[in-house]
Amino acid sequence: MKHFTSDYEPKDMALTKYFDGEDARQLAEALTNGLNRVHQGDIQAPKKSGTTFISDSMNREEVERMNRYYLDLIPEFAEYLQRGDFSFAWDD
């Protein structure tokens, strides 16, 4: 446990991080509130930056899914977070 840190940075597959249900629900609420404020014009969302992800093994639908605008992903992610506990880790 000496390498474990109590943050949400997954770092390595061996160091899986855990979101408890209450944290997940609060994150969903914060994301939803923020998105609503963007749509109401109260705040401006950061512009999408970076390059487009493309691989010769991907079909058109996969390219579109991998490169969706991040604000469009919030409702789906918030719905997932409402389900409660989950864990995650980097798997490259």
Side-chain angles (χ1 to χ4, degrees):
M1 296 302 292
K2 69 179 181 177
H3 300 291
F4 183 81
T5 56
S6 60
D7 57 24
Y8 287 122
E9 181 67 36
K11 295 186 175 83
D12 186 282
M13 188 65 170
L15 299 175
T16 300
K17 296 296 180 153
Y18 174 77
F19 258 84
D20 69 20
E22 184 59 25
D23 282 355
R25 284 184 282 281
Q26 288 183 11
L27 178 56
E29 183 178 333
L31 288 170
T32 301
N33 289 341
L35 182 61
N36 289 339
R37 291 190 64 203
V38 168
H39 290 315
Q40 294 166 0
D42 295 338
I43 58 175
Q44 186 174 18
K47 302 281 186 214
K48 180 180 178 182
S49 61
T51 58
T52 301
F53 182 81
I54 298 175
S55 170
D56 60 359
S57 64
M58 296 168 65
N59 62 36
R60 181 180 184 90
E61 291 81 24
E62 291 168 327
V63 170
E64 289 174 1
R65 186 178 66 239
M66 288 293 297
N67 294 290
R68 284 175 59 191
Y69 183 51
Y70 71 95
L71 291 180
D72 295 339
L73 301 172
I74 289 176
E76 184 179 341
F77 185 48
E79 181 180 320
Y80 174 81
L81 292 169
Q82 290 292 343
R83 297 179 198 164
D85 307 355
F86 70 95
S87 59
F88 69 102
W90 293 118
D91 183 13
D92 55 5

